[in-house]
Short mmCIF file of all heavy atoms in Angstrom, two decimals:
data_model
loop_
_atom_site.label_atom_id
_atom_site.label_comp_id
_atom_site.label_asym_id
_atom_site.label_seq_id
_atom_site.Cartn_x
_atom_site.Cartn_y
_atom_site.Cartn_z
N SER Y 155 -20.62 2.22 15.50
CA SER Y 155 -19.20 2.15 15.83
C SER Y 155 -18.53 1.07 15.00
O SER Y 155 -19.18 0.11 14.55
CB SER Y 155 -18.99 1.87 17.32
OG SER Y 155 -19.39 0.56 17.65
N ILE Y 156 -17.23 1.24 14.80
CA ILE Y 156 -16.41 0.26 14.09
C ILE Y 156 -15.23 -0.07 14.99
O ILE Y 156 -14.33 0.75 15.19
CB ILE Y 156 -15.95 0.79 12.73
CG1 ILE Y 156 -17.17 1.12 11.86
CG2 ILE Y 156 -15.06 -0.23 12.03
CD1 ILE Y 156 -16.84 1.85 10.58
N ASN Y 157 -15.26 -1.26 15.57
CA ASN Y 157 -14.26 -1.71 16.53
C ASN Y 157 -13.26 -2.60 15.80
O ASN Y 157 -13.63 -3.62 15.21
CB ASN Y 157 -14.96 -2.50 17.65
CG ASN Y 157 -14.00 -2.94 18.74
OD1 ASN Y 157 -12.80 -2.75 18.65
ND2 ASN Y 157 -14.55 -3.55 19.78
N GLU Y 158 -11.99 -2.22 15.82
CA GLU Y 158 -10.97 -3.00 15.12
C GLU Y 158 -10.90 -4.44 15.60
O GLU Y 158 -10.56 -5.34 14.82
CB GLU Y 158 -9.60 -2.31 15.31
CG GLU Y 158 -8.45 -2.98 14.58
CD GLU Y 158 -7.75 -4.08 15.38
OE1 GLU Y 158 -7.91 -4.09 16.62
OE2 GLU Y 158 -7.06 -4.91 14.77
N ILE Y 159 -11.26 -4.68 16.86
CA ILE Y 159 -11.16 -6.03 17.41
C ILE Y 159 -11.97 -7.02 16.58
O ILE Y 159 -11.56 -8.17 16.40
CB ILE Y 159 -11.63 -6.05 18.88
CG1 ILE Y 159 -10.80 -5.07 19.73
CG2 ILE Y 159 -11.55 -7.46 19.46
CD1 ILE Y 159 -9.32 -5.35 19.76
N SER Y 160 -13.10 -6.60 16.07
CA SER Y 160 -13.96 -7.48 15.28
C SER Y 160 -14.06 -7.05 13.82
O SER Y 160 -14.82 -7.64 13.05
CB SER Y 160 -15.37 -7.53 15.89
OG SER Y 160 -15.90 -6.22 16.05
N ASN Y 161 -13.27 -6.04 13.43
CA ASN Y 161 -13.32 -5.52 12.06
C ASN Y 161 -11.92 -5.20 11.55
O ASN Y 161 -11.67 -4.14 10.98
CB ASN Y 161 -14.20 -4.26 12.00
CG ASN Y 161 -15.64 -4.52 12.37
OD1 ASN Y 161 -16.42 -4.99 11.55
ND2 ASN Y 161 -16.00 -4.23 13.61
N GLY Y 162 -11.03 -6.15 11.72
CA GLY Y 162 -9.62 -5.91 11.41
C GLY Y 162 -9.33 -5.61 9.96
O GLY Y 162 -8.29 -5.00 9.65
N ALA Y 163 -10.23 -5.99 9.05
CA ALA Y 163 -9.97 -5.77 7.63
C ALA Y 163 -9.92 -4.30 7.26
O ALA Y 163 -9.37 -3.94 6.20
CB ALA Y 163 -11.06 -6.47 6.79
N TYR Y 164 -10.46 -3.45 8.11
CA TYR Y 164 -10.51 -2.01 7.80
C TYR Y 164 -9.38 -1.24 8.47
O TYR Y 164 -9.37 -0.01 8.46
CB TYR Y 164 -11.86 -1.45 8.23
CG TYR Y 164 -13.02 -2.21 7.62
CD1 TYR Y 164 -13.77 -3.10 8.39
CD2 TYR Y 164 -13.35 -2.06 6.28
CE1 TYR Y 164 -14.83 -3.81 7.84
CE2 TYR Y 164 -14.41 -2.76 5.72
CZ TYR Y 164 -15.14 -3.65 6.51
OH TYR Y 164 -16.18 -4.35 5.95
N PHE Y 165 -8.42 -1.96 9.04
CA PHE Y 165 -7.29 -1.35 9.74
C PHE Y 165 -6.01 -2.08 9.31
O PHE Y 165 -6.07 -3.14 8.68
CB PHE Y 165 -7.45 -1.49 11.26
CG PHE Y 165 -8.69 -0.84 11.82
CD1 PHE Y 165 -9.94 -1.47 11.71
CD2 PHE Y 165 -8.62 0.38 12.48
CE1 PHE Y 165 -11.09 -0.87 12.23
CE2 PHE Y 165 -9.76 0.97 13.00
CZ PHE Y 165 -10.99 0.35 12.87
N TRP Y 166 -4.86 -1.50 9.69
CA TRP Y 166 -3.60 -2.21 9.51
C TRP Y 166 -2.63 -1.79 10.60
O TRP Y 166 -2.81 -0.77 11.26
CB TRP Y 166 -3.01 -1.93 8.12
CG TRP Y 166 -2.54 -0.52 7.90
CD1 TRP Y 166 -1.32 0.01 8.23
CD2 TRP Y 166 -3.28 0.57 7.31
NE1 TRP Y 166 -1.25 1.34 7.88
CE2 TRP Y 166 -2.44 1.71 7.30
CE3 TRP Y 166 -4.58 0.67 6.77
CZ2 TRP Y 166 -2.84 2.94 6.79
CZ3 TRP Y 166 -4.98 1.89 6.25
CH2 TRP Y 166 -4.12 3.00 6.27
N ARG Y 167 -1.60 -2.62 10.78
CA ARG Y 167 -0.55 -2.32 11.76
C ARG Y 167 0.76 -2.06 11.04
O ARG Y 167 1.12 -2.78 10.11
CB ARG Y 167 -0.41 -3.45 12.78
CG ARG Y 167 -1.60 -3.54 13.72
CD ARG Y 167 -1.35 -4.45 14.91
NE ARG Y 167 -2.54 -4.50 15.77
CZ ARG Y 167 -2.80 -3.64 16.75
NH1 ARG Y 167 -1.92 -2.68 17.01
NH2 ARG Y 167 -3.90 -3.75 17.46
N GLU Y 168 1.45 -1.01 11.46
CA GLU Y 168 2.74 -0.66 10.90
C GLU Y 168 3.87 -1.32 11.69
O GLU Y 168 3.72 -1.60 12.89
CB GLU Y 168 2.92 0.87 10.91
CG GLU Y 168 1.99 1.61 9.97
CD GLU Y 168 2.33 1.40 8.50
OE1 GLU Y 168 3.38 0.76 8.23
OE2 GLU Y 168 1.57 1.87 7.64
N LYS Y 169 5.00 -1.55 11.02
CA LYS Y 169 6.11 -2.25 11.64
C LYS Y 169 7.09 -1.32 12.34
O LYS Y 169 7.96 -1.78 13.09
CB LYS Y 169 6.85 -3.07 10.59
CG LYS Y 169 6.00 -4.20 10.02
CD LYS Y 169 6.79 -5.02 8.99
CE LYS Y 169 5.92 -6.14 8.44
NZ LYS Y 169 6.66 -6.94 7.41
N PHE Y 170 6.99 0.01 12.09
CA PHE Y 170 7.96 0.91 12.70
C PHE Y 170 7.63 1.25 14.15
O PHE Y 170 8.40 1.93 14.82
CB PHE Y 170 8.12 2.20 11.87
CG PHE Y 170 6.88 3.05 11.79
CD1 PHE Y 170 6.60 4.01 12.75
CD2 PHE Y 170 5.98 2.89 10.73
CE1 PHE Y 170 5.47 4.79 12.67
CE2 PHE Y 170 4.85 3.68 10.64
CZ PHE Y 170 4.58 4.63 11.61
N ARG Y 171 6.47 0.78 14.63
CA ARG Y 171 6.10 0.92 16.04
C ARG Y 171 5.61 -0.42 16.56
O ARG Y 171 5.21 -1.29 15.79
CB ARG Y 171 5.01 1.97 16.22
CG ARG Y 171 5.51 3.39 16.11
CD ARG Y 171 4.39 4.40 16.27
NE ARG Y 171 4.92 5.74 16.27
CZ ARG Y 171 4.23 6.83 15.95
NH1 ARG Y 171 2.96 6.73 15.59
NH2 ARG Y 171 4.79 8.02 15.98
N LYS Y 172 5.61 -0.55 17.88
CA LYS Y 172 5.14 -1.78 18.51
C LYS Y 172 3.70 -1.61 18.98
O LYS Y 172 3.27 -0.52 19.34
CB LYS Y 172 6.04 -2.13 19.70
CG LYS Y 172 7.47 -2.48 19.30
CD LYS Y 172 8.30 -2.88 20.52
CE LYS Y 172 9.73 -3.25 20.09
NZ LYS Y 172 10.56 -3.64 21.27
N ALA Y 173 2.96 -2.72 18.97
CA ALA Y 173 1.60 -2.71 19.50
C ALA Y 173 1.63 -2.33 20.98
O ALA Y 173 2.58 -2.67 21.68
CB ALA Y 173 0.98 -4.08 19.31
N PRO Y 174 0.63 -1.60 21.47
CA PRO Y 174 -0.62 -1.22 20.79
C PRO Y 174 -0.56 0.15 20.12
O PRO Y 174 -1.59 0.75 19.86
CB PRO Y 174 -1.60 -1.19 21.96
CG PRO Y 174 -0.78 -0.65 23.10
CD PRO Y 174 0.59 -1.23 22.91
N HIS Y 175 0.65 0.62 19.83
CA HIS Y 175 0.82 1.99 19.32
C HIS Y 175 1.06 2.02 17.80
O HIS Y 175 1.61 3.00 17.29
CB HIS Y 175 1.99 2.66 20.04
CG HIS Y 175 1.95 2.53 21.52
ND1 HIS Y 175 0.91 3.02 22.28
CD2 HIS Y 175 2.81 1.93 22.40
CE1 HIS Y 175 1.14 2.74 23.56
NE2 HIS Y 175 2.27 2.08 23.65
N ASN Y 176 0.62 1.00 17.09
CA ASN Y 176 0.93 0.92 15.66
C ASN Y 176 -0.29 0.62 14.79
O ASN Y 176 -0.15 0.18 13.66
CB ASN Y 176 2.00 -0.15 15.42
CG ASN Y 176 1.52 -1.55 15.78
OD1 ASN Y 176 0.51 -1.73 16.47
ND2 ASN Y 176 2.24 -2.56 15.32
N LEU Y 177 -1.49 0.89 15.31
CA LEU Y 177 -2.72 0.57 14.57
C LEU Y 177 -3.21 1.81 13.81
O LEU Y 177 -3.42 2.87 14.41
CB LEU Y 177 -3.80 0.09 15.53
CG LEU Y 177 -5.13 -0.32 14.89
CD1 LEU Y 177 -4.95 -1.55 14.01
CD2 LEU Y 177 -6.19 -0.57 15.96
N TYR Y 178 -3.45 1.65 12.50
CA TYR Y 178 -3.83 2.78 11.66
C TYR Y 178 -5.03 2.43 10.78
O TYR Y 178 -5.36 1.25 10.57
CB TYR Y 178 -2.65 3.20 10.76
CG TYR Y 178 -1.52 3.82 11.53
CD1 TYR Y 178 -0.55 3.01 12.13
CD2 TYR Y 178 -1.43 5.20 11.68
CE1 TYR Y 178 0.49 3.58 12.86
CE2 TYR Y 178 -0.38 5.76 12.41
CZ TYR Y 178 0.56 4.95 13.00
OH TYR Y 178 1.59 5.51 13.72
N THR Y 179 -5.65 3.47 10.27
CA THR Y 179 -6.71 3.33 9.29
C THR Y 179 -6.73 4.58 8.42
O THR Y 179 -5.88 5.45 8.55
CB THR Y 179 -8.08 3.10 9.97
OG1 THR Y 179 -9.06 2.75 8.98
CG2 THR Y 179 -8.55 4.33 10.73
N ASP Y 180 -7.69 4.66 7.51
CA ASP Y 180 -7.96 5.90 6.79
C ASP Y 180 -9.46 5.98 6.55
O ASP Y 180 -10.20 5.01 6.78
CB ASP Y 180 -7.15 6.00 5.49
CG ASP Y 180 -7.44 4.88 4.51
OD1 ASP Y 180 -8.61 4.47 4.38
OD2 ASP Y 180 -6.50 4.41 3.84
N LEU Y 181 -9.92 7.12 6.10
CA LEU Y 181 -11.37 7.31 5.99
C LEU Y 181 -11.97 6.54 4.83
O LEU Y 181 -13.16 6.22 4.86
CB LEU Y 181 -11.69 8.81 5.89
CG LEU Y 181 -11.27 9.67 7.08
CD1 LEU Y 181 -11.97 11.01 7.04
CD2 LEU Y 181 -11.51 8.98 8.42
N ASP Y 182 -11.18 6.21 3.83
CA ASP Y 182 -11.69 5.35 2.76
C ASP Y 182 -12.04 3.96 3.31
O ASP Y 182 -13.09 3.39 2.98
CB ASP Y 182 -10.67 5.22 1.63
CG ASP Y 182 -10.52 6.51 0.84
OD1 ASP Y 182 -11.46 7.33 0.84
OD2 ASP Y 182 -9.45 6.71 0.23
N HIS Y 183 -11.17 3.42 4.15
CA HIS Y 183 -11.45 2.13 4.79
C HIS Y 183 -12.70 2.21 5.66
O HIS Y 183 -13.54 1.31 5.67
CB HIS Y 183 -10.26 1.68 5.62
CG HIS Y 183 -9.18 1.00 4.86
ND1 HIS Y 183 -8.24 1.68 4.12
CD2 HIS Y 183 -8.89 -0.32 4.70
CE1 HIS Y 183 -7.41 0.82 3.55
NE2 HIS Y 183 -7.78 -0.41 3.88
N ILE Y 184 -12.81 3.31 6.41
CA ILE Y 184 -13.94 3.44 7.33
C ILE Y 184 -15.24 3.63 6.56
O ILE Y 184 -16.29 3.04 6.91
CB ILE Y 184 -13.70 4.61 8.31
CG1 ILE Y 184 -12.47 4.32 9.17
CG2 ILE Y 184 -14.93 4.82 9.19
CD1 ILE Y 184 -12.47 2.99 9.89
N GLU Y 185 -15.22 4.41 5.50
CA GLU Y 185 -16.44 4.58 4.70
C GLU Y 185 -16.84 3.26 4.03
O GLU Y 185 -18.03 2.96 3.90
CB GLU Y 185 -16.22 5.68 3.66
CG GLU Y 185 -16.20 7.06 4.29
CD GLU Y 185 -15.81 8.16 3.30
OE1 GLU Y 185 -15.49 7.82 2.13
OE2 GLU Y 185 -15.83 9.34 3.70
N LYS Y 186 -15.85 2.45 3.64
CA LYS Y 186 -16.16 1.12 3.09
C LYS Y 186 -16.81 0.25 4.17
O LYS Y 186 -17.79 -0.47 3.89
CB LYS Y 186 -14.86 0.47 2.60
CG LYS Y 186 -15.04 -0.95 2.04
CD LYS Y 186 -15.89 -0.94 0.78
CE LYS Y 186 -15.78 -2.24 -0.02
NZ LYS Y 186 -16.12 -3.45 0.73
N ALA Y 187 -16.31 0.34 5.40
CA ALA Y 187 -16.91 -0.41 6.50
C ALA Y 187 -18.34 0.04 6.75
O ALA Y 187 -19.24 -0.79 6.98
CB ALA Y 187 -16.07 -0.23 7.77
N MET Y 188 -18.58 1.35 6.70
CA MET Y 188 -19.93 1.87 6.88
C MET Y 188 -20.88 1.31 5.82
O MET Y 188 -22.01 0.89 6.12
CB MET Y 188 -19.92 3.40 6.84
CG MET Y 188 -19.20 4.05 8.01
SD MET Y 188 -18.87 5.83 7.75
CE MET Y 188 -20.54 6.49 7.66
N GLN Y 189 -20.42 1.29 4.56
CA GLN Y 189 -21.25 0.75 3.49
C GLN Y 189 -21.49 -0.74 3.66
O GLN Y 189 -22.61 -1.22 3.50
CB GLN Y 189 -20.57 1.04 2.15
CG GLN Y 189 -20.51 2.51 1.78
CD GLN Y 189 -19.60 2.79 0.60
OE1 GLN Y 189 -18.90 1.91 0.12
NE2 GLN Y 189 -19.61 4.05 0.14
N ASP Y 190 -20.43 -1.48 4.00
CA ASP Y 190 -20.56 -2.93 4.18
C ASP Y 190 -21.54 -3.28 5.30
O ASP Y 190 -22.24 -4.30 5.23
CB ASP Y 190 -19.20 -3.54 4.50
CG ASP Y 190 -18.24 -3.51 3.31
OD1 ASP Y 190 -18.70 -3.23 2.18
OD2 ASP Y 190 -17.03 -3.74 3.52
N LYS Y 191 -21.62 -2.43 6.32
CA LYS Y 191 -22.47 -2.70 7.47
C LYS Y 191 -23.83 -2.02 7.37
O LYS Y 191 -24.64 -2.11 8.29
CB LYS Y 191 -21.75 -2.24 8.75
CG LYS Y 191 -20.49 -3.04 9.04
CD LYS Y 191 -19.73 -2.47 10.22
CE LYS Y 191 -18.51 -3.33 10.52
NZ LYS Y 191 -18.87 -4.72 10.87
N GLY Y 192 -24.08 -1.34 6.25
CA GLY Y 192 -25.37 -0.69 6.05
C GLY Y 192 -25.61 0.49 6.96
O GLY Y 192 -26.75 0.83 7.27
N MET Y 193 -24.54 1.16 7.37
CA MET Y 193 -24.68 2.33 8.24
C MET Y 193 -25.14 3.54 7.42
O MET Y 193 -24.86 3.64 6.23
CB MET Y 193 -23.36 2.66 8.93
CG MET Y 193 -22.90 1.64 9.92
SD MET Y 193 -21.34 2.13 10.72
CE MET Y 193 -21.06 0.73 11.80
N ARG Y 194 -25.83 4.42 8.08
CA ARG Y 194 -26.28 5.65 7.44
C ARG Y 194 -25.08 6.51 7.07
O ARG Y 194 -24.19 6.74 7.88
CB ARG Y 194 -27.21 6.38 8.43
CG ARG Y 194 -27.78 7.68 7.94
CD ARG Y 194 -28.93 8.13 8.85
NE ARG Y 194 -28.69 7.85 10.25
CZ ARG Y 194 -27.95 8.61 11.06
NH1 ARG Y 194 -27.38 9.72 10.59
NH2 ARG Y 194 -27.80 8.29 12.32
N MET Y 195 -25.05 7.02 5.84
CA MET Y 195 -23.91 7.79 5.34
C MET Y 195 -24.11 9.30 5.47
O MET Y 195 -23.15 10.06 5.41
CB MET Y 195 -23.63 7.44 3.88
CG MET Y 195 -23.39 5.96 3.62
SD MET Y 195 -21.93 5.30 4.47
CE MET Y 195 -20.61 6.10 3.56
#
Side-chain angles (χ1 to χ4, degrees):
S155 69
I156 300 171
N157 183 355
E158 183 271 341
I159 302 300
S160 54
N161 297 279
Y164 305 105
F165 300 79
W166 67 86
R167 290 192 181 273
E168 293 289 354
K169 294 181 180 179
F170 64 88
R171 284 179 175 156
K172 294 182 179 180
H175 312 300
N176 64 345
L177 182 66
Y178 291 85
T179 189
D180 60 39
L181 299 196
D182 289 336
H183 277 80
I184 298 307
E185 287 173 356
K186 178 65 164 57
M188 293 167 64
Q189 293 169 353
D190 291 347
K191 295 174 178 299
M193 293 181 181
R194 181 167 37 82
M195 304 297 290

